[in-house]
Amino acid sequence: MGEGVKSRLPAVTAMAHPNLALVKYWGQRDAARQLPLNASISVNLSGATTTTTVQFDTALEGDEFELNGVPPAPAALARVSAHLQRIRDLAGSTACARVRSRNSFPAGIGIASSAAGFAALTLAGTRAAGLALEARELSALARLGSGSACRSIPDGFAEWLVGSGEDSYAVQLAKPEHWNLQIVTVYFDPQPKAISSLEGHRAAPSSPFFEARLQQLGETLNTVRRAVLERDFGTLGMTVEREALSLHLIAMSSRVAEQPQLSGIYYWQPQTLALIHAVQRWRTEGLEVYFTLDAGPAVHLLVEAANRAALLEAVGGALGELGGQVLVSAPGMGARVVAGG
Ligand code: PMV
């Protein structure tokens, strides 16, 4: 057998879903180690997937990364390469890797592509390097790639425990089948985000309202955790909606040090606000639906399974005027190997 063949480890493919934060992570205690200031709770979105294949090969002179069939911007390769280096350090390896990743959904619109991406990369990468990490170790490692990626490792509903290092990971709160919640994500033409979530985290403590948010979060976490476990939709929906507004109020009142011309961070687009109004109107008219928003203009609508068709009809009507596309999810699985390994 030739040397090149011997030095190529088998390729491993993993799949992961983006997760939707029900209680948001916003602000970091330690940026280098991706430690959050607060715990957070999420649900995986079954309707969107990232599929990533990793193969280590000593014949490569550098890491290679292809996203949706094309080489991404150098900064994205650098971020992936830094994560591969963490995996190499754990495995005691020096081989570079070829990474191919595909998203079933657009990036940069408020659906957490980096969460799904780093969860899939962590699982495929560690397995391809011959490691067999436990779920908690995988979650803590995924966190170093992108904080919220740690919550895409467990199946279903997850809680990210603050921790202080290796104990900062997400654990499962409930399995996907625990609650057939429906999440209807409405997104608009992808527009490059003016401010990344990284900058948003950094700027958050500059908001005069940030301390108040942190103080309230303990109660919010308890309420959302209990509402998930007891399948209490009304409590979950209203708490999650207010929690999303709290994050966006912090963003709007944050100062971005590098961009002093901005008075605050606005992730919303006009269509975002139009949908927020529509949700409040639909609820008044008897359709029990709630919204939440991550760091982007997409609006995630939560509804019980029995109201899914009614919501899709209402959304269809609204989209006639607003434009936009819809992605429907139920609570999704965690990261899993789908080929190789
Ligand atoms: O993981 P990051 O650094 O992309 O931050 C995610 C931030 C939010 O999506 C807005 C909230 C969250 O908890 O996912």
Side-chain angles (χ1 to χ4, degrees):
M1 209 184 265
E3 247 207 312
V5 176
K6 260 196 280 174
S7 60
R8 191 180 300 158
L9 292 172
V12 177
T13 303
M15 183 181 270
H17 298 288
N19 66 77
L20 171 64
L22 301 172
V23 180
K24 317 286 184 185
Y25 149 52
W26 202 238
Q28 296 169 323
R29 195 150 60 86
D30 181 333
R33 294 192 300 152
Q34 300 269 41
L35 294 174
L37 273 166
N38 63 276
S40 51
I41 294 177
S42 64
V43 58
N44 289 335
L45 297 177
S46 71
T49 55
T50 296
T51 309
T52 300
T53 302
V54 180
Q55 182 167 39
F56 286 95
D57 185 345
T58 53
L60 292 175
E61 288 182 3
D63 292 321
E64 292 177 1
F65 177 37
E66 204 182 272
L67 180 60
N68 298 326
V70 290
L77 170 62
R79 211 168 156 197
V80 163
S81 206
H83 204 59
L84 290 167
Q85 190 54 46
R86 293 180 188 112
I87 295 172
R88 279 189 281 266
D89 290 347
L90 279 175
S93 151
T94 53
C96 291
R98 196 173 293 112
V99 178
R100 288 205 179 87
S101 197
R102 242 171 219 290
N103 291 331
S104 71
F105 57 99
I109 53 163
I111 301 176
S113 54
S114 63
F118 279 98
L121 178 65
T122 301
L123 181 57
T126 52
R127 290 288 182 86
L131 297 166
L133 301 190
E134 288 181 11
R136 289 173 181 205
E137 296 171 312
L138 280 172
S139 175
L141 181 56
R143 184 198 88 231
L144 295 172
S146 172
S148 57
C150 71
R151 297 188 313 234
S152 282
I153 297 289
D155 290 342
F157 297 82
E159 178 162 357
W160 175 5
L161 312 169
V162 174
S164 57
E166 281 167 18
D167 56 346
S168 183
Y169 49 69
V171 293
Q172 184 180 73
L173 207 56
K175 293 181 176 166
E177 56 274 22
H178 166 73
W179 196 1
N180 187 21
L181 265 187
Q182 299 290 297
I183 303 118
V184 175
T185 300
V186 184
Y187 61 96
F188 310 101
D189 281 348
Q191 300 174 355
K193 239 194 260 182
I195 305 285
S196 67
S197 53
L198 205 68
E199 290 171 290
H201 286 299
R202 221 179 283 145
S206 70
S207 163
F209 312 113
F210 189 64
E211 276 305 316
R213 167 175 164 77
L214 283 187
Q215 268 171 31
Q216 198 185 28
L217 270 174
E219 196 184 320
T220 305
L221 282 158
N222 287 339
T223 305
V224 168
R225 194 184 303 112
R226 190 195 57 73
V228 167
L229 295 176
E230 294 176 5
R231 293 187 281 263
D232 176 350
F233 185 64
T235 302
L236 179 85
M238 191 53 92
T239 312
V240 159
E241 194 167 302
R242 292 199 165 125
E243 157 57 9
L245 291 173
S246 155
L247 180 150
H248 284 269
L249 293 177
I250 296 300
M252 288 174 195
S253 53
S254 294
R255 287 166 197 209
V256 183
E258 305 75 29
Q259 300 201 49
Q261 78 283 7
L262 300 181
S263 58
I265 305 171
Y266 289 83
Y267 289 114
W268 299 3
Q269 293 293 331
Q271 301 98 316
T272 314
L273 190 56
L275 267 176
I276 289 175
H277 282 296
V279 167
Q280 309 238 18
R281 191 177 67 244
W282 292 333
R283 245 188 353 249
T284 315
E285 291 166 2
L287 175 59
E288 196 177 9
V289 48
Y290 299 91
F291 69 81
T292 182
L293 316 145
D294 277 344
V299 182
H300 303 269
L301 303 171
L302 304 177
V303 78
E304 287 178 298
N307 283 333
R308 172 188 148 126
L311 176 63
L312 285 174
E313 201 187 316
V315 168
L319 291 193
E321 291 164 29
L322 299 175
Q325 296 181 62
V326 166
L327 190 137
V328 183
S329 297
M333 305 275 285
R336 65 250 186 224
V337 170
V338 292

